[in-house]
Amino acid sequence: MTVNLNEINEVLLPRRYQEEIFSRAQERNVIAALDTGSGKTYISTLLIKWTAALNAGSGKIIVFLVPKVALVEQQGDFIAKETTLRVSKCYGATAIDLADRRGWRNELENHDVLVMTAQIFLNILTHSHWSMDKVSLMVFDECHHTRKNHAYNGIMREYFQWPAEQRPKVFGMTASPIWNPRDAAESLATLERNLDAKVIAVREHVDELLDHSPKPQEIVHVYPNPPESYLPYHTPILWDRLNLSDLSPELQIPVTKIKTRYEVTYNSLGLYGAELFLYIDVKHRISQIINQAETDIEYLPFQTGSTVMTASAGVLNEKIAPEVQRIERILAEYQRFFEDPENPEVVPIRVQLKWCSPKVQNLADMLFQHYTHEFQGIVFVEQRHVAACLSRMLPRLPQLDGYIRSAQLIGHGASNLAKSQVRGMALKTQQDVVKMFREREVNLLVATSVAEEGLDFPACELVIRFDPIQHMVGYIQSRGRARHKAATFVVMIENGHQTHVDRYQTFQESEPELRRVYQTRDERTVPQVEEDEGGYEDPDDLLERERFVVPSTGAVLTYNTAIGLLNHLCSLIPRDRFTPVQVPQYTGDFEATLQLPSSLPLPPEDLTFVGPPKRSKKEAKRAVAFMAIKRLHSLNVFDDYLLPAKAQSGDNEDSDGRPIGDVSDIPDTMEVMVKDPWTRSRTQYLHIIHVNGAPTAGLVTGSLLPPADLVVSGDHVYSGEGTPVDMDPEDEWRLRRIMEDYTRMGLWWCITGRGISLPLTCYLVPITPHLHIDWSAMEQAVLHPYGSFDWSGVTEEHYGRILVMSCKEFGRPLLLRKIRHDLTPLSTPAHGTRESSSPTYREFFLQKYTRQGIIPEIPEDGPCIEAEPFPRHTTCIYTLDGSYAAPKTNPTFIMIQKMCRWAYMPEEIWRAFHVLPDLCQRITDIYRARMLRFDLGLPPILDDLLIQALTLPGANAGFNNQRLETLGDSVLKLTSVVHLFNRFPHRHEGQLDILRRNSVSNRTLLSRARDIGLECYLTGEPRVIRLWRYTVPEDQAPYCDPPSRAVLRRFPRRSLQDCMEAILGASFVTGGINMALRAGTALGLSLGGSLPWPFRCALPPQSPVSSMFTDLQDLMGYHFRSGHLLLEAVTHPSFKSMDCASYQRLEFLGDAVIDLVVMRYLYNKFPKATSGQLSWARSRAVCSPALAAVAVNCLGLHKLILINNVELSLAISRYVPILEETSPQDILLNGWKQDPPKAISDVLESVIGAVLVDSGYDFEKTCVVAETVLQDLLLSLSPDMPRDPVSALMVWSAQSGCHKISFRKSQSRPELKRNDCVSVIVHDFAVVGPIPAANLSLAKGLAAERARQVLEDPDSPYLLSRICDCKESMGVERIVYGQQLPIDDLEKKLDDETEEGFATLAQLVMSEVVNPEMSLTGDVLGPSTEVEEEDPEGDRESNTVPSRQDGPTAGSDKWDSIEAYSFVAA
């Protein structure tokens, strides 16, 4: 189907013949048989718009199917341009993953038309993402492919499974509905049966159709036979120099195939063309061999300094066979004949006609004869390599030089390059070539059959079939490209090949008759019968076929899909570069036997299947594959959608099948009503506060508070259980008002220094010796909320026990030390005091308090007082361990007594007010922790640990959940892995790892936290109380029935997943793995339930242990009960054995065990280490180099591992001496420089995993074994380990303020197309590099290490201070520490090959170093609250009398009206 988008007008109007076809398509399912260029796609667009209008609101979609990837974009763009419908384009590279059910549902529900390749839609149907009854129209482009096993036919088989009334409308489009001209009627009937549609052609407007689809002039051009030999372009020729027949078979170069293709090309193009093919093909193969050799040297021992390149080059030369090096040198000699590096699309020399075949010479003559200024043509060839060579040669032929601009257009090629001697074209390249041809940058295409149909080409003047036409469809489709009004269609046939002439003439003569078959016959009902498999399929086999439908989902398994599903399953088996691709093996002919790879963790009896007898070999293979899939589905290897179980990420269910909710609607910053005990209720409760064991005051609120104890400034504070406050109902309002005013007064004097306008939710009250509220003391105190000027009752016993305040320094309390009767305002200040700058105290205060010319009244008589500042307690930071800082010694000041008031507040009360913020916060924390434990059914986690787990870093509490979250991350990993390991015994490591990542992902944790309402228990309030927070919200009535025990708080949503892991960590610290399982189950995580592992995990059968493991068991201090399990733990996947699986599953388990063992060790040993330090130290120990060193030096596992791969054995043997000479300290500090084969560390992890299984999942016993094995490594760990060079460079650059640094990758050998070098670019200067290494990670580390040295060297021209002007530049966007960024935006910036990405990463790494408890995406909300510093000089003064709004009872008028109304209403 061809549509030229550039020729589309703004509004296309249908031609009459298009309306005719459209009208008939409305009535029934049809197949429109129209020539190329007649506008079939436009007819389909009319039908799409009509169908969409007809089915509006039904939820059905329209599917436009194409047979080739390149057509998706083309047809999708056309439909989107011609309609207002929502169009989606889906093909392999852009399609959503099949396992992403939510993604497909959104894609299907949010679009009206889906343009896609047929195989994708078939997958959607068979895996039950969508069903046929939800489709209103299916359009089949190039529908003649609906035969045999094409995906079109598979879709129609699903179509026929539905009742007729639930099937969608079908519209097919083709220019060649008849595939077999020898039996045209049956060929047509088969297509109609398969598509359940009627083939129709234009009847009433044939003349108009002919005007728009002109027929070209057809010519048969007979060319001479090729000569036996040609004049050489060079002596000797490349074939003779290469002498491929003598190559060693070990090189795996298919010499026979190359020779065959060389001879075919020689016959078709001549000597030069054949030599060009040979050069291209052999060079590609040699490059592959060299590239593989260079990959192998990744496992060489690390070299430092200038020896890197020399060593790598030397070893590379040793690795490459001499024969390969010889061929590489020969190809370099002949490059001048065949390859121009600056223009690889044409050959570098003029191609003489004497080097070319008569066929090429005749082609050149025809192109020259038909050439015009507007010339455009296509040459069709059969083989890709011929197209590649011919397109390079034609522009350099003498008569075409300067006229012809050619390009090749070939298919995508085989997925396995070993099966294709010439690379296929990528989709983008195909589209680029078509675009160039359409825009006349290229005027000649040399194309394979990919250009016969579908792609959008302009009308061509000349189309040439360079090779013989093989079938009717190819004839009609290729001729359709010649639709210019004066076009010529040429068929080239070699002299003497009469059969080719006869075949062409048969096609030409039969075409009119074939057209009449469907143009003139009556429309009759088409029987709805599915086509058989065609070919040599036996009808009895087809009748015996089964069809398996999964009842729960509707997913369908057929004989045609079974083999592909098995191949897909095997392709997902994890493997390293030393393990071959796993594939199913079929043996037998008419009764096939299937052998699945032993790497699949299945019982031996489920690895081999014997199928039923069939009448063809293909059917026998399909039958046994079908049988295997059904069995594997019953074993849960395939899920209910008939996909490899959890084969891809993106699933919306956890490992237990429970849905994972959509968290996309949760904002980055959540507003949550958090549990809070402070409320006002009809019943108030009194809680006695004890300070250092003595009852001091009472705490009154509307809830029964949990007992709490803590240490504040060295004083032990304890609040007991509550008792109801007995108040006379007639006097209740007055008594509540007294408590309100008294508490406001105390808060003003001791904590806030400012008035409170909202009703309070808790009160601090004095108590009598009988532990009742002392109402009389409060009544007296509230009469003088600002204190008293009457000093007559103040004696020496009050010294150090009452608070005073200067009337000129309002809101700043002092603690009375003594009354100085020896001093008066007119006394001379002592030398060295703050007042000594004035002759008298009175003069000092006159000067101090005089403002704006107003002279205050300062008394001249009376005594003075000596006082010290009373520090306001505006924070509520307490410690969990009872530690405290020693109080500071405050200086004393002289004040004039007549200017000061003293507070009606005894010492025990102001001391109680002093500890009140800490006590309230402590009670709040305990209340939330215990409510969480009760509401969720958590196990008895220690209060302090649970409080820590619920405290966010943004609270700045002195402790938070980050350490526990880091530990909990490891706990979650292990508990999830053990559950998956046992729940899915038949899934391999790759599937288990995807399940694990889904179980521990932030999305899952966030969803589960939201499910249980965890956000209602978090503590994120800042620990600074400059404004008293225990008040009734402004928008809430003072009394609610029932009382409100929740307050509005804001914190980032990522806090939820952190708290989930922190709670797991807290439970693990409290009660080990068993309590962690109970906690995780209560949190809704998929851990297999709360039952301890030994009671639910089966022990492996007991079996003897081989004597080869005696020393290993002695070194580990553990003796296995199952020798078979230990054997599995040392078996590499390359060591294929039907009796023993590989170590991959045990390695998956052991990795999680070691991770938790190391993290618990660090957590316990370094209690002051931050989460960032713990994570960094763990990453140094739990990595491939460190574990490989332990495996070699501690256990000698390299001697025990069972391997059947020479390259891996050599790689291990080369690296063992390096590891043996490396100390634990060195491997931790410089492990980034090492890259041992991963198999060494894998086997250590698998052995540790085997210990856990063999011990009956006794984690503590396994932990002892693991710590014994890792002892030397663990002892060398510390939280202050230096960063790797890349991180160190980033931190240093961030601290230096430079944000114009980046890495740049490059290639040491460009022909290998593999990056192995790294440079460091600073302000557009390449200060270091390119530095090569065996792998990019190592190259980056070396480059970063060297760059730091260069940038810090004062003698270097690249000293950073010389070349960096970042601090001077303005307007550059930078990420500021503490800034909260959306995760998606952050990920886009994390590319260290851009300056912005490097700067972003540098800020992230620095944030971990400066304050590891915070993060750029994390827990800082809004502006931070700073602790108000006390002014030791007492310089805060005022010349005005304090107003009520600034005093202790501020807002009382508002409170009076609200509370009085509440009581009256009650």
Side-chain angles (χ1 to χ4, degrees):
M1 217 15 268
T2 302
V3 166
N4 190 339
L5 294 180
N6 287 342
E7 296 176 2
I8 297 176
N9 298 323
E10 288 300 319
V11 178
L12 280 180
L13 297 177
R15 302 170 186 139
R16 286 176 295 171
Y17 70 84
Q18 290 173 326
E19 288 182 336
E20 176 188 337
I21 299 295
F22 168 57
S23 177
R24 294 162 71 183
Q26 290 175 292
E27 300 171 359
R28 59 172 302 159
N29 295 346
V30 300
I31 300 168
L34 299 173
D35 287 338
T36 301
S38 57
K40 295 187 290 293
T41 301
Y42 182 66
I43 300 172
S44 72
T45 304
L46 297 175
L47 190 61
I48 286 171
K49 289 192 288 187
W50 175 76
T51 304
L54 196 65
N55 292 274
S58 66
K60 294 185 177 183
I61 62 170
I62 296 171
V63 181
F64 192 110
L65 300 168
V66 297
K68 297 179 181 179
V69 172
L71 298 178
V72 175
E73 293 283 346
Q74 176 181 300
Q75 306 294 53
D77 290 342
F78 180 81
I79 296 170
K81 184 171 183 179
E82 287 301 307
T83 71
T84 58
L85 300 174
R86 298 169 298 173
V87 180
S88 172
K89 296 175 285 188
C90 304
Y91 50 87
T94 64
I96 301 166
D97 192 277
L98 264 181
D100 187 358
R101 308 197 67 78
R102 178 176 292 162
W104 271 115
R105 185 172 65 250
N106 291 337
E107 183 77 5
L108 294 163
E109 290 178 351
N110 295 326
H111 291 93
D112 305 305
V113 182
L114 282 91
V115 183
M116 61 178 66
T117 51
Q119 187 61 53
I120 289 182
F121 187 55
L122 181 58
N123 292 341
I124 290 173
L125 294 175
T126 56
H127 296 299
S128 196
H129 288 293
W130 204 252
S131 57
M132 193 65 74
D133 62 326
K134 297 179 182 178
V135 181
S136 58
L137 170 66
M138 290 192 298
V139 179
F140 291 81
D141 195 7
E142 307 297 347
C143 67
H144 53 269
H145 292 291
T146 313
R147 57 194 299 270
K148 295 187 178 181
N149 287 321
H150 193 277
Y152 276 179
N153 224 14
I155 292 169
M156 290 306 298
R157 291 189 184 102
E158 297 304 316
Y159 168 94
F160 284 115
Q161 299 300 318
W162 288 84
E165 65 273 9
Q166 296 183 27
R167 298 172 184 171
K169 176 178 281 295
V170 173
F171 180 68
M173 303 184 294
T174 180
S176 48
I178 296 176
W179 187 272
N180 181 10
R182 289 173 294 186
D183 191 355
E186 179 58 28
S187 180
L188 198 67
T190 297
L191 181 63
E192 291 180 329
R193 287 196 300 268
N194 289 350
L195 277 170
D196 189 28
K198 178 71 176 179
V199 177
I200 64 172
V202 175
R203 289 181 175 180
E204 301 174 6
H205 304 94
V206 177
D207 293 340
E208 183 188 37
L209 174 62
L210 293 176
D211 288 341
H212 289 93
S213 300
K215 295 291 187 294
Q217 178 187 5
E218 298 188 37
I219 297 175
V220 174
H221 183 89
V222 179
Y223 59 88
N225 302 108
E228 294 183 0
S229 63
Y230 295 90
L231 290 175
Y233 64 94
H234 177 72
T235 304
I237 61 175
L238 181 60
W239 177 265
D240 295 337
R241 281 292 307 277
L242 291 177
N243 195 18
L244 296 180
S245 58
D246 292 340
L247 289 181
S248 170
E250 294 181 358
L251 294 180
Q252 297 183 347
I253 294 179
V255 176
T256 302
K257 290 184 178 179
I258 294 175
K259 182 178 180 181
T260 300
R261 293 191 175 104
Y262 179 87
E263 291 171 350
V264 169
T265 313
Y266 186 93
N267 185 67
S268 180
L269 303 184
L271 173 63
Y272 183 82
E275 292 280 287
L276 176 59
F277 154 73
L278 182 65
Y279 176 86
I280 295 172
D281 187 277
V282 174
K283 182 173 182 180
H284 171 68
R285 297 181 189 277
I286 293 299
S287 296
Q288 291 287 94
I289 294 173
I290 296 174
N291 191 24
Q292 181 63 44
E294 185 153 295
T295 301
D296 292 343
I297 69 170
E298 292 180 4
Y299 292 96
L300 286 173
F302 171 67
Q303 305 287 336
T304 59
S306 61
T307 65
V308 174
M309 180 65 87
T310 304
S312 297
V315 175
L316 182 61
N317 288 332
E318 295 176 5
K319 184 73 176 177
I320 300 174
E323 293 171 296
V324 174
Q325 298 181 41
R326 177 184 68 84
I327 293 175
E328 189 179 25
R329 289 193 298 270
I330 293 173
L331 293 175
E333 292 177 18
Y334 282 75
Q335 180 181 12
R336 61 192 178 94
F337 296 107
F338 303 115
E339 183 180 13
D340 182 358
E342 297 182 359
N343 186 9
E345 299 303 319
V346 296
V347 295
I349 63 174
R350 287 174 65 91
V351 180
Q352 303 299 321
L353 292 178
K354 60 186 178 183
W355 303 340
C356 301
S357 67
K359 188 177 182 181
V360 172
Q361 296 176 19
N362 279 246
L363 173 65
D365 291 340
M366 283 188 287
L367 291 174
F368 181 76
Q369 292 169 7
H370 286 84
Y371 178 80
T372 64
H373 181 66
E374 299 294 327
F375 171 81
Q376 283 191 289
I378 301 177
V379 177
F380 282 101
V381 300
E382 286 293 318
Q383 296 178 309
R384 293 191 184 101
H385 69 274
V386 173
C389 296
L390 188 59
S391 67
R392 287 173 168 86
M393 292 170 55
L394 288 175
R396 300 312 308 270
L397 292 175
Q399 65 265 53
L400 302 181
D401 197 354
Y403 298 103
I404 294 299
R405 303 180 300 279
S406 64
Q408 59 173 309
L409 184 64
I410 60 178
H412 297 297
S415 58
N416 184 358
L417 285 178
K419 298 179 181 179
S420 174
Q421 94 289 347
V422 176
R423 289 177 180 267
M425 299 186 74
L427 171 63
K428 185 176 180 181
T429 306
Q430 271 192 357
Q431 292 176 337
D432 290 343
V433 170
V434 173
K435 181 180 178 182
M436 292 168 61
F437 187 60
R438 191 183 302 132
E439 296 176 352
R440 299 184 181 275
E441 295 179 30
V442 168
N443 59 11
L444 180 69
L445 291 182
V446 181
T448 57
S449 60
V450 70
E452 288 180 353
E453 60 185 25
L455 290 174
D456 174 21
F457 293 132
C460 296
E461 291 96 323
L462 180 66
V463 173
I464 299 176
R465 294 291 310 205
F466 190 69
D467 293 323
I469 302 174
Q470 302 298 329
H471 48 74
M472 186 72 180
V473 172
Y475 164 64
I476 295 176
Q477 298 281 16
S478 58
R479 190 193 62 183
R481 293 302 179 188
R483 63 179 190 272
H484 192 274
K485 291 188 179 297
T488 303
F489 178 68
V490 180
V491 178
M492 297 184 67
I493 297 177
E494 185 177 344
N495 184 36
H497 286 242
Q498 187 60 36
T499 55
H500 293 162
V501 177
D502 294 343
R503 184 187 300 123
Y504 162 71
Q505 290 177 345
T506 299
F507 293 153
Q508 186 183 37
E509 294 169 359
S510 63
E511 187 201 2
E513 183 62 31
L514 295 178
R515 287 182 181 275
R516 282 193 289 272
V517 171
Y518 56 84
Q519 284 180 329
T520 61
R521 65 177 182 161
D522 296 330
E523 295 186 9
R524 60 185 183 272
T525 303
V526 181
Q528 298 175 359
V529 180
E530 182 179 357
E531 181 202 20
D532 65 20
E533 288 299 303
Y536 299 101
E537 297 290 353
D538 191 286
D540 292 334
D541 277 344
L542 299 180
L543 291 175
E544 293 172 1
R545 281 190 172 185
E546 301 177 63
R547 176 184 175 87
F548 174 65
V549 179
V550 181
S552 61
T553 64
V556 180
L557 172 67
T558 67
Y559 272 40
N560 291 321
T561 60
I563 292 177
L565 285 175
L566 279 182
N567 291 335
H568 180 46
L569 172 67
C570 293
S571 72
L572 299 174
I573 299 175
R575 65 184 188 92
D576 55 26
R577 56 180 297 273
F578 301 105
T579 307
V581 178
Q582 306 289 325
V583 293
Q585 299 292 332
Y586 297 90
T587 56
D589 294 331
F590 300 101
E591 184 177 275
T593 298
L594 167 65
Q595 181 64 57
L596 294 176
S598 59
S599 297
L600 288 173
L602 297 170
E605 61 270 18
D606 288 317
L607 289 174
T608 304
F609 295 87
V610 178
K614 293 294 177 182
R615 297 161 186 82
S616 71
K617 297 177 182 179
K618 285 185 178 181
E619 192 72 5
K621 286 179 61 177
R622 295 182 186 123
V624 72
F626 182 89
M627 176 191 300
I629 295 292
K630 287 182 64 177
R631 173 59 180 162
L632 296 179
H633 173 259
S634 69
L635 294 174
N636 207 15
V637 177
F638 284 91
D639 62 18
D640 284 346
Y641 296 96
L642 294 180
L643 290 168
K646 300 297 184 293
Q648 299 293 338
S649 58
D651 204 319
N652 298 309
E653 295 179 349
D654 64 17
S655 58
D656 294 329
R658 295 178 302 167
I660 299 173
D662 186 4
V663 296
S664 60
D665 61 334
I666 303 178
D668 290 335
T669 300
M670 299 186 298
E671 293 189 351
V672 179
M673 296 303 293
V674 178
K675 301 288 184 183
D676 194 83
W678 311 104
T679 187
R680 299 159 65 90
S681 68
R682 300 303 173 191
T683 302
Q684 298 288 97
Y685 297 91
L686 172 65
H687 306 78
I688 303 301
I689 299 174
H690 299 75
V691 178
N692 295 326
T696 303
L699 183 60
V700 178
T701 187
S703 301
L704 277 171
L705 302 176
D709 64 329
L710 71 160
V711 175
V712 183
S713 301
D715 295 325
H716 180 265
V717 181
Y718 171 77
S719 67
E721 296 182 355
T723 57
V725 177
D726 186 16
M727 291 182 285
D728 184 353
E730 295 182 359
D731 200 29
E732 184 175 352
W733 186 87
R734 185 184 67 84
L735 295 178
R736 287 177 180 258
R737 177 55 189 269
I738 289 174
M739 291 192 295
E740 183 90 18
D741 287 347
Y742 186 84
T743 305
R744 289 173 184 270
M745 179 188 74
L747 294 175
W748 181 78
W749 276 89
C750 302
I751 298 176
T752 64
R754 53 172 60 90
I756 301 171
S757 60
L758 297 173
L760 302 177
T761 54
C762 65
Y763 313 115
L764 187 73
V765 298
I767 56 176
T768 66
H770 300 290
L771 305 183
H772 298 301
I773 297 176
D774 191 343
W775 299 105
S776 60
M778 286 193 291
E779 286 178 322
Q780 182 182 6
V782 297
L783 295 175
H784 306 282
Y786 301 105
S788 173
F789 285 108
D790 183 4
W791 288 82
S792 59
V794 179
T795 62
E796 291 184 7
E797 67 179 14
H798 293 97
Y799 292 176
R801 303 185 65 184
I802 65 172
L803 300 180
V804 301
M805 186 180 295
S806 169
C807 63
K808 298 298 183 181
E809 298 183 28
F810 184 66
R812 191 180 188 290
L814 303 169
L815 182 62
L816 178 67
R817 282 303 174 195
K818 65 173 66 175
I819 299 176
R820 297 290 298 270
H821 295 284
D822 58 327
L823 297 177
T824 70
L826 299 180
S827 298
T828 301
H831 179 70
T833 63
R834 67 167 188 169
E835 300 89 358
S836 61
S837 59
S838 300
T840 65
Y841 289 109
R842 184 175 185 277
E843 289 295 329
F844 173 79
F845 288 112
L846 276 173
Q847 182 179 359
K848 182 178 178 65
Y849 297 142
T850 299
R851 291 291 183 270
Q852 297 179 353
I854 300 176
I855 299 175
E857 294 184 6
I858 305 296
E860 297 181 356
D861 57 350
C864 293
I865 64 171
E866 184 177 334
E868 68 177 54
F870 177 76
R872 293 190 183 282
H873 199 54
T874 56
T875 69
C876 50
I877 298 175
Y878 66 88
T879 60
L880 296 175
D881 58 4
S883 60
Y884 64 94
K888 297 187 298 183
T889 301
N890 292 321
T892 58
F893 306 126
I894 300 298
M895 308 293 292
I896 298 174
Q897 187 187 60
K898 290 184 176 181
M899 297 178 62
C900 296
R901 309 170 182 180
W902 61 274
Y904 280 89
M905 190 182 302
E907 179 184 9
E908 60 270 16
I909 293 299
W910 60 255
R911 287 190 180 277
F913 270 109
H914 186 73
V915 304
L916 184 61
D918 302 65
L919 179 61
C920 287
Q921 186 62 58
R922 173 67 174 173
I923 292 173
T924 303
D925 292 345
I926 294 176
Y927 176 81
R928 289 174 182 165
R930 294 185 180 177
M931 286 291 292
L932 175 69
R933 186 186 300 131
F934 177 79
D935 291 346
L936 300 188
L938 289 173
I941 304 171
L942 293 176
D943 279 347
D944 283 350
L945 286 172
L946 197 50
I947 289 170
Q948 188 176 344
L950 296 174
T951 303
L952 308 184
N956 296 317
F959 59 85
N960 57 48
N961 60 13
Q962 293 300 287
R963 274 175 53 87
L964 284 174
E965 182 268 333
T966 304
L967 175 63
D969 176 75
S970 297
V971 175
L972 176 60
K973 179 179 179 181
L974 178 60
T975 51
S976 299
V977 163
V978 170
H979 172 50
L980 297 172
F981 187 88
N982 286 276
R983 177 172 169 77
F984 303 107
H986 304 311
R987 298 192 187 177
H988 56 66
E989 177 202 3
Q991 293 171 302
L992 294 179
D993 185 58
I994 291 169
L995 283 167
R996 179 194 63 80
R997 285 188 275 116
N998 194 41
S999 296
V1000 304
S1001 69
N1002 284 336
R1003 183 172 72 94
T1004 301
L1005 293 175
L1006 182 58
S1007 176
R1008 294 291 177 250
R1010 191 68 181 273
D1011 291 344
I1012 61 176
L1014 182 62
E1015 67 272 15
C1016 299
Y1017 304 90
L1018 306 190
T1019 296
E1021 298 95 340
R1023 298 303 168 94
V1024 178
I1025 306 185
R1026 300 183 66 185
L1027 295 175
W1028 189 247
R1029 67 165 64 109
Y1030 303 103
T1031 61
V1032 176
E1034 191 170 2
D1035 58 351
Q1036 182 178 312
Y1039 290 96
C1040 299
D1041 194 12
S1044 172
R1045 291 187 173 89
V1047 291
L1048 181 65
R1049 295 289 183 259
R1050 296 178 178 86
F1051 39 78
R1053 75 173 191 171
R1054 67 159 292 174
S1055 305
L1056 288 176
Q1057 56 252 33
D1058 287 352
C1059 285
M1060 291 281 283
E1061 292 178 321
I1063 293 171
L1064 271 183
S1067 63
F1068 179 73
V1069 174
T1070 301
I1073 284 290
N1074 289 345
M1075 186 173 285
L1077 290 174
R1078 293 173 59 190
T1081 302
L1083 294 173
L1085 299 174
S1086 297
L1087 307 183
S1090 58
L1091 192 66
W1093 290 338
F1095 296 105
R1096 58 180 162 105
C1097 299
L1099 274 172
Q1102 189 168 355
S1103 57
V1105 179
S1106 170
S1107 59
M1108 67 181 284
F1109 298 120
T1110 301
D1111 292 342
L1112 173 65
Q1113 294 183 102
D1114 292 340
L1115 289 170
M1116 295 176 67
Y1118 180 84
H1119 290 266
F1120 282 82
R1121 62 184 299 279
S1122 173
H1124 187 273
L1125 186 68
L1126 183 54
L1127 185 65
E1128 178 182 333
V1130 298
T1131 302
H1132 185 265
S1134 65
F1135 193 85
K1136 297 180 180 179
S1137 170
M1138 296 306 299
D1139 299 323
C1140 184
S1142 73
Y1143 61 55
Q1144 290 177 314
R1145 277 173 54 89
L1146 287 174
E1147 177 259 322
F1148 172 71
L1149 179 62
D1151 171 70
V1153 174
I1154 292 176
D1155 188 85
L1156 180 54
V1157 168
V1158 173
M1159 180 49 66
R1160 182 167 78 165
Y1161 173 86
L1162 293 168
Y1163 180 89
N1164 292 330
K1165 184 176 180 180
F1166 305 108
K1168 299 298 182 182
T1170 65
S1171 62
Q1173 290 172 320
L1174 293 177
S1175 297
W1176 178 245
R1178 172 182 57 183
S1179 69
R1180 286 300 183 94
V1182 188
C1183 63
S1184 182
L1187 296 181
V1190 173
V1192 170
N1193 297 326
C1194 297
L1195 300 180
L1197 287 174
H1198 60 289
K1199 303 174 184 177
L1200 300 176
I1201 184 171
L1202 301 179
I1203 301 172
N1204 188 18
N1205 184 281
V1206 175
E1207 291 185 353
L1208 176 57
S1209 299
L1210 290 174
I1212 291 176
S1213 65
R1214 286 198 299 262
Y1215 230 102
V1216 165
I1218 304 298
L1219 295 174
E1220 289 176 337
E1221 297 175 2
T1222 305
S1223 66
Q1225 294 81 6
D1226 188 49
I1227 200 69
L1228 289 173
L1229 295 176
N1230 299 305
W1232 62 272
K1233 296 182 180 180
Q1234 307 295 347
D1235 189 21
K1238 187 174 178 292
I1240 306 177
S1241 57
D1242 285 350
V1243 76
L1244 173 64
E1245 292 173 330
S1246 65
V1247 167
I1248 296 299
V1251 172
L1252 181 65
V1253 177
D1254 190 79
S1255 65
Y1257 292 89
D1258 187 332
F1259 174 74
E1260 295 303 327
K1261 181 182 291 186
T1262 306
C1263 186
V1264 171
V1265 175
E1267 287 186 355
T1268 301
V1269 172
L1270 300 171
Q1271 182 178 8
D1272 293 341
L1273 202 66
L1274 295 176
L1275 291 175
S1276 302
L1277 288 173
S1278 75
D1280 299 320
M1281 300 189 70
R1283 293 266 168 175
D1284 62 275
V1286 175
S1287 299
L1289 177 63
M1290 288 181 169
V1291 171
W1292 179 76
S1293 68
Q1295 292 172 337
S1296 302
C1298 181
H1299 51 269
K1300 299 198 72 176
I1301 302 179
S1302 62
F1303 290 112
R1304 178 185 296 165
K1305 300 175 187 175
S1306 58
Q1307 303 167 354
S1308 60
R1309 295 170 62 88
E1311 68 274 11
L1312 299 183
K1313 300 180 181 180
R1314 177 175 172 273
N1315 291 322
D1316 60 351
C1317 299
V1318 172
S1319 304
V1320 179
I1321 312 299
V1322 183
H1323 284 271
D1324 299 325
F1325 293 105
V1327 300
V1328 167
I1331 291 183
N1335 57 69
L1336 272 177
S1337 177
L1338 177 57
K1340 185 179 289 187
L1342 294 171
E1345 186 177 54
R1346 178 59 182 152
R1348 176 80 179 274
Q1349 298 170 356
V1350 171
L1351 294 170
E1352 287 184 314
D1353 184 2
D1355 298 328
S1356 168
Y1358 301 121
L1359 178 67
L1360 186 64
S1361 59
R1362 291 195 185 115
I1363 63 176
C1364 178
D1365 59 355
C1366 293
K1367 293 183 179 179
E1368 301 173 4
S1369 62
M1370 302 296 292
V1372 179
E1373 179 186 0
R1374 299 183 62 193
I1375 294 182
V1376 181
Y1377 171 71
Q1379 176 183 353
Q1380 182 175 336
L1381 292 177
I1383 296 295
D1384 294 340
D1385 292 344
L1386 192 63
E1387 289 177 349
K1388 294 176 183 177
K1389 298 174 180 285
L1390 303 186
D1391 180 5
D1392 58 15
E1393 293 185 55
T1394 66
E1395 292 176 348
E1396 181 185 17
F1398 189 98
T1400 302
L1401 283 166
Q1403 292 291 334
L1404 280 169
V1405 177
M1406 188 177 72
S1407 70
E1408 293 183 0
V1409 174
V1410 175
N1411 187 352
E1413 303 303 309
M1414 309 295 288
S1415 69
L1416 296 183
T1417 58
D1419 305 311
V1420 179
L1421 289 177
S1424 60
T1425 305
E1426 298 178 357
V1427 178
E1428 180 180 354
E1429 297 182 357
E1430 294 295 336
D1431 180 8
E1433 298 298 323
D1435 291 335
R1436 185 189 300 164
E1437 66 271 338
S1438 172
N1439 290 322
T1440 60
V1441 177
S1443 67
R1444 183 174 175 83
Q1445 282 71 28
D1446 296 322
T1449 56
S1452 292
D1453 293 337
K1454 176 181 180 181
W1455 186 90
D1456 287 346
S1457 61
I1458 295 174
E1459 181 146 339
Y1461 174 79
S1462 300
F1463 270 96
V1464 171

